[in-house]
Each structure stands twice: as C-alpha cells, then as structure tokens.
Amino acid sequence: MLSDVRILGSKRQTLAALHARLDQLTRQRLAEIRDPARWREILSTARFTPPLLLAAIGLDL
C-alpha cells in the first residue's frame, strides 16, 4: 500500500495525467471522494496504463 501521495508540480497537470492512465473503476472512485487524504488507499489498488513512474525517496527498510 502507498504510504504517501505527493504532487510535485502542477496539480492540474498531475490530475489530468492520472485520469488519462487510470482504470475506469478507480476514476469513478476518485470522483466520488473529495478528500485527498483518501486518495492514497484508492490509488494503492489502481491499475495504470501505461504504468506510472515510482519515486522511492527516503525509504526506511
């Protein structure tokens, strides 16, 4: 599961890129949720096409 979701750069461009790559079910779930704090759990189960890059910064293993 994702531990954090951070948007670096333009929020509008980021949301447009997410919307373009998300599966339909996840798009619907995000549209229903207005609280960005809940996006983490929704995006943890999303399917992205093409896949998004993962930035692993400051991981504690």
Side-chain angles (χ1 to χ4, degrees), residues 30-42:
L30 286 176
E32 295 170 359
I33 304 297
R34 298 292 179 212
D35 181 11
R38 298 224 22 236
W39 291 359
R40 177 176 47 122
E41 72 183 58
I42 295 170

Side-chain angles (χ1 to χ4, degrees), residues 9-44:
S10 168
K11 181 178 178 180
R12 185 173 39 176
Q13 288 178 331
T14 300
L15 293 176
L18 277 175
H19 189 268
R21 294 179 178 190
L22 284 174
D23 60 282
Q24 184 177 5
L25 177 60
T26 303
R27 280 195 298 261
Q28 290 172 346
R29 289 179 68 201
L30 286 176
E32 295 170 359
I33 304 297
R34 298 292 179 212
D35 181 11
R38 298 224 22 236
W39 291 359
R40 177 176 47 122
E41 72 183 58
I42 295 170
L43 292 173
S44 290

Side-chain angles (χ1 to χ4, degrees), residues 40-53:
R40 177 176 47 122
E41 72 183 58
I42 295 170
L43 292 173
S44 290
T45 60
R47 293 182 186 255
F48 297 95
T49 306
L52 292 177
L53 295 174

